[in-house]
Amino acid sequence: MAGARYSRQLLVLGGGGRRLREAAVLVGGLRGVGAQAAAALVLAGARRVVLHESGAAPGGVQFLQGECGVGQNRAEVSQQLLAALNPDVEVSVHPGELSEEFLAAFQVVLLTESPLEEQLRIGDICHAKGICFIVADAKGLAGQLFCDFGEHFVVRDPVEGDPLCATVQHVSQGNPGIVTCAGADKNRGHRFSDGDLVVFSGVEGMVELNSSEPCPVRVLDAFRLEIGDTSAFSPYRGGGRISEVRPRQEHSYEPLRWALAMPRIQTRSSTELLRSRTLHAAFWALHAFRQQQGRLPQPRAPEDAERVLELAHELGSALGPLDEDVVRAFASVSAGELCPVASFMGALAAQEAMKAITGKFLPLEQWFYFDALECLAVEGAAGLMPEDCAPRGSRYDGQIAVFGADFQEELGRQKYFVVGAGAIGCELLKNFAMMGLAAGPGGDITVTDMDTIARSNLHRQLLFREADVGKPKAEVAAAAVRLINPDIKVTAHQAQLGPGTEKLFGSTFFRRLDGAVSALDTLTARAYLESCCIHSRTALLDTGTEGAKGNVLAMVPPLSQQLEPGSDPADGSFPLCTLRFFPCAIEHTLQWARDEFEGLFQLPAESVNRFLGEASPALTRLSLRQESSPGVPFWSGDRRCPHPLTFDISNDTHLAYVEAAAHLLAHTYRLPSCGDRVATRDVLCHTVLPPFVPKDGRYVPTVEGVEEVEEALEPGQLLELVQELARWKQELGGGTEAMDPIHYDKDDDLHLSFITAASNLRAENYSIPPADRLTSQRIAGRIVPAIITTTAAVAALACLEVYKLVWRCRDLRCYRNSNLFLSECLLFRIQPLPAPTYRYRGKEWSCWDRLEVRAIGEDGQALTVRELLAWLQEEHGWTVTKLLRGSTMLYDGEEDEEMRARQQAQRLSDGVERCAEPRQLELQYVCAGDELEDACPPLLCTLP
């Protein structure tokens, strides 16, 4: 369970993630919601997932069955494909009734899209037996989620991420005592909040803190905290760590039968509460309508919608006022099935099931409602009639019931660019295949990803299997979605989007797109994609996740503001002085271990190989450092005085370090390594190590006094060294590859063993608490935690925005940016900000406006600078004083007459590389009198 497959997930779920391997989950209902929830639980590694479905499978309702499964039992069709997702999980089908005896074998029972009578019966059984019970449903553009985890459910760890910690720099004696502290990055301080419970460890002097009970803190500023009374404690001398303690929480739940009439609904505001209560009554009324009529309301049938509204008022009378327009809109499309809505609700249901199993994160209390009914306000969707939404015998009938047949044809004609085929990319492509995006004449999806599939991808990247490890992500993903929908057109590339691939993904490529979706994991790549879409005015949906958090941002030219590139987070680097001499946090020792890995197993081998390939030996500059006196006790504050370690063969960390280093060194020298631990122990037992003796004359530099000094070599010494290097080169045979450099791989077990052991040994040197293997992997590898539920939910939210783009909606009020927090089952959906405007030369300009000129003269050649300046004067009355292409000055009105004449005579194409497609230059300019103006609109020149 703790292997590479689940490493990213364990970073999200912590130790609770290992409880999944003991869990048995029943998933009832295998339509869209159930299929997504079951797939997520299988990928996450639950020990046993049992499927139950009483009905046959109509076409196109979920991604597991494929074309060949139509008419067969959904659970039986889905079992084989679910089992293939994860060989660690037992996936089976229960064809019989869900009896009380049968249900007793499960920790979690999840019912999806089931009749209310079945929900109530099974809910009563589960509540009585202490089985966690979840109900999830999706109807048209709305979803419902309910949780009952019993009367005494314990949340072991309610918060995402590792507990907070900081380095203690001083503690005052007083009432209250004041703690001065700092995080690993000393400039950022601590991250505690008022009321957080903390404990201390490793404090010298004021040792009473080390044994004290958890106490609450009050934040004074970024570096100071108030704690309890320390006036009677011993004076503080140095060192120490302050760490957050997260107390367990107990939650109590009502059974469904009670919670239906008096619902506790999780919302953020009174406005949301009104809408959620309305949806609660609408779902309840829908069950009643179906029981009375034996069917769901007909799509866009006003009389059916009115009957649902009447039932909602009758059943929900205790809920207060209802939004009648919401009930009518909900009922009018409730017969529809949309893959994005089903995927979103299935992902949320699976996350709640994981909370029930692991005790990690705050579970839902008790109802959650979601809707994207704003899609019906889009021009074109609002006026649909029943005949537009009637079934066609198509796999897309569930989508046609919501958006109509003409819209389905438009979906098939779309051209989209998916950048990234990882976790979000896989979910996007799966949803696109189910939606029928690019499955018609003229449609096409281009997907690119430079990476290959790793084992650590398999727990969340839905389209990949064990046999795909090492293969290109984009190609495997494209092949997988063609199996889901043979009509989809997908073109795959194993290429990194960037300046080096402009010939493949140039301006012509972007201008032909209907939209692009970012599923990237680096801010640099995202910023480049954003710039391409801004330049071509192509709609972009930017997606991202980190652990249980996710977001979707919509950039809709010319309606919304342009996306601004995010700032790069801290790259994990620390000052050299801190790493070498003053480590005070595990982050410092892990970065030091990474540097050690590179210095032992990569750089020497590369240097030897480079030395052998050079014509003559090269010398490396040697440097020493000198200190400056701080004028205070040297080992104080965050400076910890190190102490030497004595090698102990019985210490697992000592042995792990020696074994890992030996194996890695053997690899660099192309030698066989010994895997016999008994033999290794025998050698080490008979090895006598000299005692540690500090060297005389060594200086410990401080941050303020680090200088680089060259070590002088006498001419004779230099000549002798050169001759010795030449002899070594001759003895090594003159080859160019004598050693194998090892580059650090964050998922390689041997590499991780060395990093963890080296870091913890250095941490022991400086009295820093050690880190476990998983934490070391995350920090040293700078790994972003990831989980299937978040990626599936985020991709689903992005696909809802695709619907609006396909409608070519020009009302910004219909679009949504989303921020998702699955750890608390919270979703924030807000309208994107409108495109800002500014004034230039007496006219109001949008951020999307630009001046465009076909810079081709009558002779077919590019315009000269003089001709372009004349066009700006004639067309806009602007006198340009400076014209630039990037950093190149094309024209400067302050130059002398001869220079200006030469500048004006040059063509705009001079110095621009020729290519097959029409070239566009973006030029910057300054006009006379611009000092009082805002920024000017860009000038785009199309060259021949």
Side-chain angles (χ1 to χ4, degrees):
M1 182 71 178
R5 175 186 283 269
Y6 305 104
S7 60
R8 308 308 191 258
Q9 176 177 280
L10 287 171
L11 295 174
V12 182
L13 299 179
R18 295 181 174 88
R19 299 186 186 96
L20 284 167
R21 63 182 171 185
E22 304 298 329
V25 183
L26 173 69
V27 178
L30 267 298
R31 298 174 78 91
V33 177
Q36 183 69 57
L41 290 166
V42 170
L43 287 168
R47 176 179 63 84
R48 180 171 172 240
V49 176
V50 178
L51 313 175
H52 179 266
E53 175 65 74
S54 58
V61 295
Q62 54 109 310
F63 63 95
L64 291 171
Q65 67 191 50
E67 298 283 347
C68 62
V70 176
Q72 301 180 43
N73 181 277
R74 287 193 202 93
E76 294 173 357
V77 172
S78 303
Q79 184 273 334
Q80 185 176 2
L81 291 171
L82 284 170
L85 289 177
N86 191 344
D88 297 342
V89 180
E90 176 192 341
V91 183
S92 60
V93 175
H94 176 69
E97 293 297 317
L98 299 180
S99 66
E100 185 171 344
E101 294 74 18
F102 176 72
L103 293 172
F106 297 95
Q107 283 75 54
V108 179
V109 171
L110 167 59
L111 297 186
T112 67
E113 301 168 283
S114 59
L116 182 59
E117 299 76 21
E118 182 182 44
Q119 295 175 15
L120 292 169
R121 180 182 71 84
I122 295 178
D124 288 343
I125 295 171
C126 290
H127 190 84
K129 288 186 171 293
I131 301 168
C132 293
F133 178 60
I134 302 171
V135 173
D137 200 355
K139 291 290 183 287
L141 282 161
Q144 175 192 60
L145 185 62
F146 169 79
C147 291
D148 170 14
F149 290 179
E151 296 178 6
H152 303 286
F153 180 77
V154 175
V155 180
R156 293 180 174 90
D157 187 356
V159 182
E160 186 171 4
D162 296 329
L164 299 175
C165 59
T167 301
V168 176
Q169 297 178 322
H170 187 263
V171 186
S172 69
Q173 289 176 298
N175 187 13
I178 297 177
V179 180
T180 304
C181 55
D185 183 345
K186 301 181 184 66
N187 295 325
R188 298 192 179 189
H190 66 77
R191 292 179 292 156
F192 293 103
S193 301
D194 285 345
D196 284 348
L197 293 177
V198 300
V199 293
F200 292 84
S201 61
V203 174
E204 298 173 8
M206 196 178 283
V207 294
E208 296 90 342
L209 286 175
N210 296 330
S211 57
S212 62
E213 293 295 315
C215 65
V217 300
R218 189 172 80 87
V219 175
L220 296 178
D221 55 38
F223 297 92
R224 295 185 304 150
L225 302 166
E226 275 188 2
I227 57 173
D229 186 357
T230 61
S231 55
F233 290 177
S234 308
Y236 173 82
R237 287 207 315 268
R241 193 85 163 158
I242 180 172
S243 304
E244 179 189 17
V245 176
R246 295 173 178 171
R248 294 186 173 193
Q249 299 180 9
E250 186 174 290
H251 293 247
S252 179
Y253 291 80
E254 299 289 347
L256 176 62
R257 195 174 297 276
W258 290 84
L260 188 64
M262 299 295 293
R264 291 191 312 213
I265 303 175
Q266 192 159 299
T267 60
R268 298 181 299 118
S269 65
S270 57
T271 302
E272 283 191 8
L273 182 59
L274 170 61
R275 192 175 187 91
S276 292
R277 283 176 173 169
T278 298
L279 288 169
H280 182 83
F283 268 93
W284 195 356
L286 194 65
H287 283 294
F289 182 96
R290 191 170 194 171
Q291 189 174 34
Q292 292 175 3
Q293 305 290 330
R295 62 174 176 84
L296 290 171
Q298 297 291 332
R300 306 288 178 154
E303 61 277 11
D304 283 358
E306 291 301 321
R307 179 55 186 152
V308 172
L309 179 58
E310 292 173 8
L311 291 168
H313 277 300
E314 293 172 12
L315 296 170
S317 57
L319 298 174
L322 304 180
D323 189 325
E324 296 187 350
D325 289 339
V326 169
V327 178
R328 292 189 185 98
F330 166 79
S332 71
V333 295
S334 60
E337 295 180 80
L338 299 177
C339 180
V341 178
S343 294
F344 182 74
M345 297 310 302
L348 265 62
Q351 184 67 66
E352 294 305 309
M354 291 185 201
K355 293 177 184 179
I357 295 165
T358 65
K360 176 70 175 177
F361 300 143
L362 289 173
L364 174 66
E365 299 220 14
Q366 283 190 260
W367 295 92
F368 173 84
Y369 284 94
F370 167 80
D371 78 89
L373 292 171
E374 74 277 356
C375 292
L376 300 182
V378 173
E379 184 180 356
L384 292 174
M385 304 300 290
E387 55 271 22
D388 299 318
C389 303
R392 264 65 172 174
S394 159
R395 66 178 291 158
Y396 308 115
D397 276 351
Q399 194 161 255
I400 290 171
V402 179
F403 295 123
D406 290 345
F407 177 80
Q408 190 61 51
E409 292 183 4
E410 186 61 30
L411 267 171
R413 290 190 285 266
Q414 295 294 295
K415 294 178 175 61
Y416 262 73
F417 187 26
V418 178
V419 189
I424 299 177
C426 283
E427 290 290 335
L428 288 168
L429 292 169
K430 177 262 291 180
N431 287 348
F432 287 170
M434 294 300 299
M435 293 160 59
L437 188 83
D444 180 68
I445 295 172
T446 301
V447 57
T448 189
D449 195 309
M450 66 176 295
D451 285 342
T452 56
I453 299 164
R455 183 169 168 76
S456 61
N457 301 148
L458 299 179
H459 85 278
R460 69 193 185 283
Q461 301 188 8
L462 181 76
L463 302 178
F464 306 145
R465 306 292 180 267
E466 193 83 34
D468 297 324
V469 171
K471 298 178 182 178
K473 284 186 177 182
E475 293 179 10
V476 175
V481 294
R482 292 188 195 105
L483 294 178
I484 297 174
N485 186 348
D487 294 329
I488 194 170
K489 284 86 172 176
V490 187
T491 304
H493 295 281
Q494 190 179 7
Q496 182 179 20
L497 181 69
T501 54
E502 284 183 353
K503 291 184 179 179
L504 185 61
F505 307 120
S507 57
T508 300
F509 169 82
F510 273 94
R511 283 197 298 271
R512 63 181 282 275
L513 295 173
D514 293 294
V517 189
S518 166
L520 292 160
D521 56 5
T522 70
L523 291 174
T524 302
R526 284 184 180 184
Y528 182 82
L529 175 60
E530 289 162 11
S531 68
C532 291
C533 290
I534 290 171
H535 182 77
S536 60
R537 285 187 281 196
T538 301
L540 171 65
L541 300 173
D542 182 78
T543 66
T545 67
E546 181 180 356
K549 299 186 288 289
N551 70 283
V552 178
L553 299 175
M555 185 176 76
V556 189
L559 306 177
S560 73
Q561 70 174 10
Q562 297 172 356
L563 296 181
E564 296 181 358
S567 58
D568 281 317
D571 60 2
S573 61
F574 299 99
L576 182 62
C577 253
T578 299
L579 297 180
R580 292 189 63 187
F581 304 110
F582 307 120
C584 58
I586 199 67
E587 290 85 353
H588 302 154
T589 65
L590 282 165
Q591 182 60 51
W592 175 88
R594 276 292 306 269
D595 295 344
E596 280 288 286
F597 186 99
E598 186 178 272
L600 289 172
F601 313 121
Q602 178 188 334
L603 296 180
E606 290 177 343
S607 297
V608 168
N609 292 342
R610 187 165 56 249
F611 164 64
L612 293 176
E614 289 174 349
S616 59
L619 293 179
T620 304
R621 174 185 295 182
L622 303 175
S623 64
L624 299 173
R625 298 176 183 275
Q626 60 186 18
E627 73 163 333
S628 63
S629 174
V632 295
F634 192 82
W635 299 112
S636 62
D638 56 6
R639 294 179 186 165
R640 296 165 178 251
C641 183
H643 62 273
L645 304 183
T646 301
F647 179 73
D648 181 359
I649 188 63
S650 65
N651 187 305
D652 289 339
T653 303
H654 294 200
L655 185 60
Y657 176 83
V658 172
E659 286 185 315
H663 284 299
L664 290 165
L665 283 171
H667 179 86
T668 63
Y669 286 100
R670 301 177 178 176
L671 298 173
S673 58
C674 175
D676 186 344
R677 174 164 277 202
V678 175
T680 302
R681 283 181 176 273
D682 184 61
V683 171
L684 292 173
C685 283
H686 293 88
T687 301
V688 179
L689 298 175
F692 171 77
V693 179
K695 294 182 179 179
D696 293 330
R698 300 289 293 195
Y699 293 94
V700 178
T702 62
V703 174
E704 298 82 9
V706 174
E707 293 182 6
E708 189 173 274
V709 227
E710 291 190 6
E711 182 177 301
L713 288 175
E714 296 294 331
Q717 292 177 305
L718 182 61
L719 178 60
E720 183 179 342
L721 180 57
V722 170
Q723 291 172 345
E724 188 173 356
L725 288 172
R727 284 196 301 273
W728 288 352
K729 183 173 182 178
Q730 187 175 9
E731 290 173 4
L732 288 170
T736 58
E737 294 290 333
M739 298 180 69
D740 287 333
I742 302 177
H743 295 266
Y744 181 68
D745 180 350
K746 57 183 176 291
D747 290 316
D748 188 288
D749 283 341
L750 185 59
H751 298 190
L752 182 57
S753 294
F754 176 85
I755 291 291
T756 304
S759 170
N760 285 340
L761 288 173
R762 186 163 177 82
E764 189 178 351
N765 281 137
Y766 286 86
S767 303
I768 298 169
D772 61 26
R773 188 179 180 90
L774 191 63
T775 302
S776 299
Q777 183 183 31
R778 174 179 61 82
I779 297 173
R782 298 164 194 162
I783 295 173
V784 177
I787 194 168
I788 176 61
T789 48
T790 314
T791 54
V794 163
L797 292 169
C799 289
L800 289 171
E801 301 309 303
V802 170
Y803 284 137
K804 302 161 190 177
L805 292 173
V806 175
W807 277 114
R808 292 177 172 80
C809 175
R810 286 296 175 261
D811 186 348
L812 191 60
R813 293 172 297 179
C814 293
Y815 291 94
R816 296 291 183 271
N817 288 338
S818 297
N819 286 286
L820 178 67
F821 302 87
L822 282 186
S823 59
E824 304 170 72
C825 201
L826 288 177
L827 174 65
F828 302 84
R829 299 180 78 220
I830 59 174
Q831 175 187 320
L833 293 175
T837 59
Y838 56 92
R839 295 195 65 80
Y840 184 75
R841 295 284 166 173
K843 179 181 175 182
E844 188 171 82
W845 301 80
S846 162
C847 67
W848 292 101
D849 289 334
R850 68 277 310 276
L851 301 178
E852 296 190 63
V853 56
R854 187 172 180 271
I856 305 174
E858 295 180 358
D859 57 357
Q861 298 295 310
L863 293 182
T864 63
V865 169
R866 179 182 290 106
E867 290 170 325
L868 179 63
L869 297 177
W871 179 84
L872 287 166
Q873 180 69 54
E874 295 168 4
E875 191 73 17
H876 298 282
W878 299 349
T879 301
V880 173
T881 57
K882 294 184 188 298
L883 183 68
L884 300 95
R885 182 181 68 232
S887 59
T888 302
M889 181 70 72
L890 300 180
Y891 174 75
D892 186 352
E894 295 182 0
E895 293 284 357
D896 58 46
E897 185 176 350
E898 182 180 353
M899 175 60 77
R900 294 200 308 272
R902 286 203 301 267
Q903 290 175 334
Q904 291 175 339
Q906 64 182 333
R907 295 190 181 274
L908 297 177
S909 57
D910 291 350
V912 179
E913 182 182 355
R914 298 194 64 85
C915 57
E917 63 178 26
R919 295 165 292 170
Q920 273 200 329
L921 294 182
E922 182 170 326
L923 305 182
Q924 298 81 42
Y925 55 94
V926 176
C927 295
D930 272 3
E931 300 80 23
L932 302 178
E933 297 282 356
D934 291 338
C936 55
L939 174 59
L940 296 184
C941 302
T942 301
L943 303 179

